Amino acid sequence: MKLRTALLGAAATLAFAPAAFAERGTDGDVKILYSQAVSTMNAYLSSGTKDVEVGSLVLEPLAGFNEKGEVIPRLVTEIPSLENGGIAEDLKSITWKLTPGLKWSDGTPVTAHDAVFTAQYCMDPAGGCAQLARYEGIEKVEALDDLTVKISYTEPKPNPFTAFVGATSPILQKAQFEKCLGAAASTCTDANFKPIGTGPFRVVEFRTNDTVQLEANPEYRDPAKPAFATALVKGGGDATSAARAVMETGEFDYAWNTQISPEVQEQMLAGGKGKFVSGFGTLVERIEMNMTDPSPDLPEGERATAKHPHPILSDIRVRTALSKAIDREILVEIGYGAAGRATCNLVPAPEIFASDNTGCLTQDVEGAKALLDEAGWTDSDGDGIRDKDGKKLSLLYQTSVNAIRQDFQAIIKQWWNDIGVEVELKSVDGSVFFGGDAGSPDTFQKFYADVEMYANNFDGTDPEPYLAQYTCDKAPTPESQWQGENVNRFCDPEYDKLLAELVRTRGIEERAVIAKKLNDMLTKDSMVVVPLVDRGRLSAHSNTLGGVVLNTWDSELWNASDWYRIK
């Protein structure tokens, strides 16, 4: 496919849904339930989906992605392309034109200088930006005038829809955040909890890991939206109780990530108060292998850092054995049914980017045992647990609190026990696990465990920013306030080199070839990422909530401005 054709497809304009209401705030309150409570409204300080999505009700990017994965305008007049001159012929720059008259929720003008500042904020090496991969390859960001933002790249950038595109890359107000650069980023509590934004809502009250109370943004660009005067986002509990609060009791209007078994879904549908919405995108439940030593015996500040390689998992034979012992089809059966597919890929979609990597789909217990034997791990004392040089083959396996995840932990522990691995299980409240608090020992970024399991996905349909998360410089460290996307501390100069090639490669077919190689380097070639299930997104909404369109390519709350109450 030629580049012009590919970019033209991405440059689709937003097709607005027919107005179901005529005046802002006429439909009262909407109640949203996230089983993982929100820890911050600033997406740049958290890799947690729950923080990014709820934050998107307030903070917006220049452009987003619709339910088809097409790029759509948010704060700009049109999507830049080669045809309209917004993308340079040499692909070394992209120019965005802000919509005139936009205002922040405090009534001040939105300008190109806010975008310039946002790039400076995320790209500050001392800030530990959780979304740094979306700014890969940028040379400079400048304001050509108050409404024109130009991003220049060090090399041609065939996929320029990364910075300022999607819920993970919103625009911050310079006036509010200008004292929050670098190491000060996490200290700006008021700004991070109550950001001034351009979205359909603004924060009234924020209670960490509990609730967010919002009200309609009086400065929102569409005077008829949002239909709801107020919105409550409640956090905590679990996926089952969240689904029940919509489907059976009717206490809430929307429940995010209702990760429950097919049998329970059927039971809840009988309640007659709501419906489930689902769709496949790029959400993969996987196990990440810690390449560094998380031992509490190490000094704080060196634990789980590159200074100390993992004493067990640094051996690819051990990592491969752990993967071989898993029966992914059984995981799909007990956890997701038709809403899940066994996978060996970190990038399962779009189809053109999905590797033909299928070697992990067949469980191979004997092969796993043989690899551990080869690596020198044997059961020398006959207690069923392998050992080597006086050290037991023992692993701490952590994940967030969720019934399906605890089921997965239990059965995977048994499979690993069967090959001679001792396993300790740990479950952490999702609000904490995905919260990004530098002071907590239990975040998935800090990774004070040997292996951990979770799922996330990427904005849009091009995996470049997602794959960029695994470069050496993205590893969380004490110096970055334990922020960073490369949570397993994988570091391979060849991977970084190939990623740089992807960044500058033109043509979707050529990009797909490189993306597949990068996927394979993380999975079958190294087993630092052990994919389990390609998960369909599953959420629930009440029968009285209109306008909901599930989006697997951006925030699920992407069109909350269009939601309304069905009378």
Side-chain angles (χ1 to χ4, degrees):
M1 182 184 294
K2 292 183 179 179
L3 178 66
R4 284 183 182 273
T5 306
L7 291 176
L8 185 61
T13 55
L14 175 61
F16 290 98
F21 43 86
E23 188 176 348
R24 176 181 296 151
T26 56
D27 284 352
D29 187 42
V30 61
K31 295 181 178 180
I32 304 168
L33 189 54
Y34 270 61
S35 55
Q36 298 167 6
V38 182
S39 303
T40 179
M41 296 292 283
N42 183 355
Y44 292 115
L45 295 185
S46 176
S47 297
T49 303
K50 43 96 175 183
D51 297 326
V52 172
E53 296 202 345
V54 177
S56 73
L57 293 171
V58 175
L59 295 173
E60 297 180 297
L62 297 182
F65 300 95
N66 66 14
E67 78 279 14
K68 298 177 183 178
E70 300 165 330
V71 186
I72 58 172
R74 290 283 193 195
L75 306 180
V76 293
T77 55
E78 63 180 348
I79 300 301
S81 67
L82 289 168
E83 284 70 22
N84 62 27
I87 296 175
E89 287 289 340
D90 63 3
L91 304 184
K92 293 190 70 174
S93 68
I94 183 172
T95 302
W96 297 89
K97 295 282 190 179
L98 287 170
T99 301
L102 290 177
K103 292 183 179 180
W104 294 103
S105 58
D106 65 356
T108 59
V110 178
T111 74
H113 304 286
D114 294 303
V116 172
F117 168 79
T118 299
Q120 179 187 3
Y121 175 93
C122 185
M123 295 172 69
D124 191 308
C129 180
Q131 312 298 342
L132 186 59
R134 300 203 73 80
Y135 292 82
E136 194 79 23
I138 290 179
E139 180 180 41
K140 63 180 177 179
V141 180
E142 54 190 325
L144 301 185
D145 55 48
D146 283 350
L147 297 179
T148 309
V149 182
K150 182 179 180 180
I151 304 174
S152 299
Y153 303 98
T154 55
E155 297 186 74
K157 179 86 166 178
N159 174 31
F161 300 121
T162 55
F164 309 142
V165 183
T168 54
S169 190
I171 303 298
L172 302 178
Q173 188 194 57
K174 178 181 179 181
Q176 185 182 32
F177 282 88
E178 60 185 343
K179 295 182 179 180
C180 305
L181 289 170
S186 62
T187 68
C188 294
T189 304
D190 288 345
N192 295 328
F193 289 175
K194 292 186 176 181
I196 295 167
T198 58
F201 295 94
R202 64 181 182 183
V203 181
V204 175
E205 183 180 18
F206 184 94
R207 295 182 180 179
T208 309
N209 295 337
D210 186 6
T211 57
V212 185
Q213 183 66 58
L214 305 108
E215 65 182 5
N217 175 6
E219 304 292 346
Y220 190 58
R221 55 190 172 275
D222 188 329
K225 298 178 181 180
F228 292 103
T230 57
L232 172 70
V233 181
K234 173 66 178 173
D238 55 57
T240 303
S241 60
R244 184 170 291 118
V246 170
M247 303 295 292
E248 295 181 351
T249 68
E251 299 170 79
F252 284 82
D253 297 299
Y254 193 91
W256 166 82
N257 191 27
T258 49
Q259 189 180 352
I260 55 179
S261 68
E263 294 78 9
V264 177
Q265 292 175 41
E266 287 299 321
Q267 295 168 10
M268 289 188 180
L269 281 169
K273 294 184 180 294
K275 62 188 69 174
F276 288 106
V277 287
S278 64
F280 282 97
T282 59
L283 187 65
V284 172
E285 191 79 20
R286 81 292 196 125
I287 289 174
E288 299 262 349
M289 303 282 181
N290 197 341
M291 301 305 292
T292 60
D293 190 351
S295 172
D297 296 335
L298 292 171
E300 198 63 32
E302 293 187 17
R303 182 183 181 189
T305 69
K307 293 180 181 179
H308 300 280
H310 199 285
I312 297 173
L313 297 176
S314 293
D315 190 335
I316 188 175
R317 292 171 295 187
V318 177
R319 302 194 300 269
T320 304
L322 294 173
S323 177
K324 282 180 174 292
I326 297 171
D327 189 329
R328 290 159 174 80
E329 293 294 349
I330 288 181
L331 295 180
V332 170
E333 182 180 341
I334 66 173
Y336 300 100
R341 301 182 288 214
T343 187
C344 303
N345 288 323
L346 179 64
V347 178
E351 185 177 359
I352 191 171
F353 290 108
S355 170
D356 60 0
N357 172 22
T358 59
C360 78
L361 298 182
T362 301
Q363 185 185 39
D364 183 6
V365 173
E366 294 308 312
K369 291 178 179 178
L371 277 173
L372 294 179
D373 289 341
E374 181 185 319
W377 292 96
T378 60
D379 183 8
S380 64
D381 55 11
D383 66 352
I385 303 300
R386 293 172 182 263
D387 55 82
K388 179 181 179 181
D389 300 329
K391 180 180 180 63
K392 289 290 186 182
L393 182 45
S394 180
L395 301 174
L396 175 59
Y397 173 12
Q398 72 177 13
T399 189
S400 64
V401 173
N402 175 275
I404 291 177
R405 286 194 170 131
Q406 271 67 77
D407 286 344
F408 277 22
Q409 277 186 306
I411 193 169
I412 291 173
K413 176 181 178 178
Q414 184 58 58
W415 288 328
W416 287 352
N417 287 165
D418 291 344
I419 63 171
V421 182
E422 182 177 55
V423 183
E424 178 186 352
L425 300 181
K426 180 178 179 180
S427 55
V428 182
D429 182 272
S431 306
V432 175
F433 189 68
F434 296 109
D437 179 2
S440 171
D442 294 324
T443 66
F444 80 114
Q445 298 102 323
K446 190 166 280 188
F447 205 168
Y448 280 0
D450 301 299
V451 298
E452 64 184 9
M453 180 175 67
Y454 62 92
N456 63 14
N457 60 296
F458 57 88
D459 289 348
T461 57
D462 192 300
E464 178 195 312
Y466 197 54
L467 292 166
Q469 294 179 357
Y470 288 90
T471 56
C472 297
D473 63 322
K474 307 288 194 328
T477 64
E479 293 74 25
S480 66
Q481 291 79 54
W482 293 107
Q483 290 289 353
E485 302 135 304
N486 184 358
V487 298
N488 57 26
R489 287 65 157 157
F490 169 77
C491 184
D492 181 349
E494 290 303 311
Y495 183 92
D496 290 14
K497 182 179 178 181
L498 189 58
L499 188 283
E501 185 179 339
L502 174 64
V503 170
R504 61 176 178 263
T505 296
R506 308 186 185 197
I508 191 168
E509 289 87 358
E510 292 80 4
R511 291 177 62 77
V513 169
I514 297 173
K516 290 174 184 178
K517 288 180 181 178
L518 290 166
N519 172 88
D520 292 350
M521 290 177 75
L522 294 170
T523 55
K524 69 177 183 179
D525 295 345
S526 68
M527 291 295 177
V528 294
V529 179
V530 177
L532 303 173
V533 181
D534 174 11
R535 284 175 44 192
R537 283 203 185 192
L538 180 71
S539 294
H541 70 85
S542 71
N543 291 331
T544 65
L545 182 62
V548 175
V549 178
L550 185 71
N551 188 341
T552 64
W553 308 109
D554 206 331
S555 168
E556 280 193 28
L557 306 181
W558 72 292
N559 75 329
S561 61
D562 295 333
W563 290 4
Y564 61 93
R565 183 69 64 199
I566 297 174
K567 303 297 193 295

